Structure formats: structure tokens, C-alpha cells
Amino acid sequence: MSKRAPSRPTGPPKLSWPKYVLAAVSLFVVVTVYWTLQEVKRLQRAKDASQDLRPGQLPPPAPPASPTNGTGSSLSPFGPTIASKAPAPASAPEGMVWIPGGEFSMGSDAASESLCGLPGVTRDAMPIHRVYVDAFWMDATEVTNEQFEQFVKATGYITVAEQKPTQEEFPTAPPENLIAGSTVFTATPQPVKLDNYFQWWRYVAGANWRHPSGPESDLAGRAKYPVVQIAYEDAVAYAKWAGKRLPTEAEWEFAARGGLAGRLYAWGDELKPGGKFQANIYQGHFPVEGGDTGEDGFKGVAPVAQYPPNPYGLYDVAGNVWEWVSDWYRPDTYARLKVAGGVARNPQGPDAPYDPAEPTEKKRVHRGGSYLCTDRYCTRYMVGTRGKGEVRTASNHLGFRCVKAGTNPGGQN
Ligand SMILES: [Ca+2]
């Protein structure tokens, strides 16, 4: 049997080059698309960065979280606190404690940011920068209802919340809506998304410092509670009458840190050392009705000085009620000081306010957080973080304390 001849191809000869051309074209298309996408992303990043640098915008996102051990080690952006060693004057004004002044690292870093359920709320307290403040006296507690009452009795002062709003101030409001009152926290019937605080704040006619939650509420049994429903000018008027003034933001933070450096809280890095709360804040589902469990001992506001003081003898620098300080608010204040470099000496805040979120509002800084602060929404009971508020807007979680210039016997700070 003869060997079978190999079969011949019956069709046209098979060519391999179109396959290679097709593969090359495909590869070219894939590479081009990938490069274009990368370029678009790069341009977007450059655009975002330039927006970050516009006046009034937040500083760029913080670097990765770093330990806040406060030792000035290379791991921490915080340097040591160098408090003045000059002795306090012999006699202290009643109810005030001596704050020695000195140099410290001010602000809040990424470690604080990571502890809040809402991203971004502590970004305006970045970056950490060095500050020096002179020595001064500071009220050991927030100003109480009985103290504010003495002022009102002596002067006949009428707070902003007690005054009928004017048409000039609210040109678009119908006249029937111009009623004296103030903002009051109102728990929501159901859980809500935490993206709009108007859901739990409402304007209540007749709310003022004598009636903190509205006309039905009063100050019975509340002499030692912090006065609330105080607008900025009310706090300034009280301070002037008392021969004092409001603290600057830098004075407030130096005092609240109590000589410690770079800690998350006024008392250290642990929220509940030994399982014990150190401040009146909020536990439970915020801001739902019945959500405040009062695990820290208080649902709502507490009398002053219910928790241990900080090393300088100050009570309630975290939680209970927010406190007005004298600086205008800008989110980029710290970024500007950092760029200026060196040590900022007795900084007084920016010359004018600007909040990109509400550009027409004139806001000053609030510090310390309140009984409504929770890790779900506002963790600003952390000592380096900041709040803000329109100067004529009061509320039932906002009060103040005062300071007084200190004169050192040795003339050294
Ligand atoms: Ca509480």
C-alpha cells in the first residue's frame, strides 16, 4: 500500500500578518485609553489642589494618621509644651485659676479626624503649629446662670435672644415672623441622616437665657448650670462688666491642654480612663428622641464642675456647653500660621471672618464641644478641635468663660 500523499490545502493560502496588525492596533487603543484616563485624573488632581489653595478653602487633606504621643518625637507633629515657670501672683481673682502661658503645639491632627463618624469635621484644626501665649487668669468654670443673673440685675442688660429681630437684619422675613427667640436642640422622632443640622435645630419663640429650651422651661434649680442662649455680644458685655474679657482661641487651647502636649483630650489619649467619663458628652443614638442614654451621668446639660478639673484647675473644657472665644473664624487660619512659620506670639485670629460653607455669615470660633457631641457626628470634645458660630446666633448648648490679664511679679512669662 502506497503511502498516502499529504493533502493539499484546498482554500487560499492562510496569511498570519493581519492577526499581528489587529493585535498591535488593539494594544495601541488600550494604551491610549489608559494614558488618557491617567491624564484626566492628573488634571483633576491638579485642579483640586489649586482649589485647596484658594483663600478660604480648607487646607489639603492631612497626612496619614500619626500617634499623638505629645513627646515631640519624629512620629508626632506635636512638640513639647514649654510652660512659663514664673510663679503665679499671690492672690487669685475669685473663681479664676492661673494659666502660666508659654509655648505649645496648637491644633488637631489626623488621629483626631479618624475618630469621628463624619469625615472632615476636624480639618479646620490642621495643621499643627507652634504658638506662644502670655500668662493670664481664667474662669475655672463656664459662667453660670447665677453669675449672669447678677450681671443682668446690675445693668438691666437685654440679650440678643430677648430682642425682637429687626426688618433690617432679616429683610426678607415677613413682619409677623420677627419674634424674639433663639435656636433650641430638638430631638428627631426618627433616625435621620446627619447631613443637615436643621433637622435637629429649630428657632423657638421665647427661648432665651432665662428660658433655655423655650417659654415652658426656666432656671429653677439651675443656678449652677452654665448660662446658655448667649450671643457673642452678650458674652462680651458680661466680660466687660466683670472686668474681664473673652479668651483668644490660642489662650483657650493652651489653658485647656493643661500643660500636656499633643493629647487627644484635655486629660490624655483615652476617652474613658479606668472606664470613667471625664466630660459631659453624648452617648446613644444622635439626635433621636430618647437617644441620649446619659451614660456619663447626665442627659442634656449638667451643672458646672461635675468631672475632674484639668491640671490647671479648669472644669468642663470638654463637653457640657460650647464656649465663645474672641477670634473670627476662618477654616484656613492654622494653615496660614503654619505657612508664616516660626512661633505665633499671642495670635488674635484673622482680621475678618470667612466660612466657605456660609460665606455671608460673620462667625467667631467656639471651643470645647458640648453635651450633644458624639463620635457619630461631632467629636469636638477633643481638645485641639474647633467649632464656629454666627455672632448673633445663640443656642441652648452654647455659653462662655472669661479671662483676665495676668501680671507676673518677675516680669517674665
Ligand atoms: Ca451626657
Side-chain angles (χ1 to χ4, degrees), residues 263-282:
R263 302 299 183 188
L264 278 176
Y265 309 104
W267 52 86
D269 284 334
E270 216 183 321
L271 180 62
K272 293 190 289 176
K276 288 187 177 162
F277 279 101
Q278 303 295 306
N280 180 22
I281 53 179
Y282 189 103

Side-chain angles (χ1 to χ4, degrees), residues 279-283 292 294-300 307 371:
N280 180 22
I281 53 179
Y282 189 103
Q283 299 83 48
D292 184 354
E295 203 188 322
D296 56 21
F298 296 93
K299 293 179 184 178
Y307 299 87
Y371 61 86

Side-chain angles (χ1 to χ4, degrees), residues 264-345:
L264 278 176
Y265 309 104
W267 52 86
D269 284 334
E270 216 183 321
L271 180 62
K272 293 190 289 176
K276 288 187 177 162
F277 279 101
Q278 303 295 306
N280 180 22
I281 53 179
Y282 189 103
Q283 299 83 48
H285 202 143
F286 181 85
V288 188
E289 207 171 324
D292 184 354
T293 63
E295 203 188 322
D296 56 21
F298 296 93
K299 293 179 184 178
V301 68
V304 299
Q306 299 300 301
Y307 299 87
N310 82 350
Y312 288 156
L314 297 172
Y315 293 90
D316 307 316
V317 286
N320 216 23
V321 298
W322 283 99
E323 299 177 16
W324 284 109
V325 296
S326 58
D327 301 41
W328 287 117
Y329 176 79
R330 285 185 67 105
D332 59 356
T333 301
Y334 292 9
R336 286 163 178 247
L337 288 174
K338 184 76 175 178
V339 168
V343 178
R345 288 187 71 84

Side-chain angles (χ1 to χ4, degrees), residues 65-81 105 109 128 130 261-263 269 338:
S66 55
T68 51
N69 55 16
T71 59
S73 76
S74 60
L75 287 174
S76 170
F78 290 93
T81 294
S105 291
D109 75 351
I128 309 300
R130 291 296 277 178
R263 302 299 183 188
D269 284 334
K338 184 76 175 178

Side-chain angles (χ1 to χ4, degrees), residues 118 121 183-188 192-203 286-287 355-359 361 363 366 372 377-378 380 388-390 393-395 397:
L118 278 192
V121 296
T183 42
V184 172
F185 172 75
T186 310
T188 59
V192 291
K193 269 182 79 178
L194 301 179
D195 56 355
N196 178 4
Y197 57 77
F198 287 110
Q199 294 170 110
W200 55 88
W201 287 106
R202 68 193 171 106
Y203 188 82
F286 181 85
D355 181 2
E358 292 175 301
E361 305 269 278
K363 297 185 183 181
H366 297 161
L372 292 173
Y377 180 67
C378 155
R380 286 173 290 185
K388 60 192 174 184
E390 194 277 323
T393 302
S395 70
H397 74 336

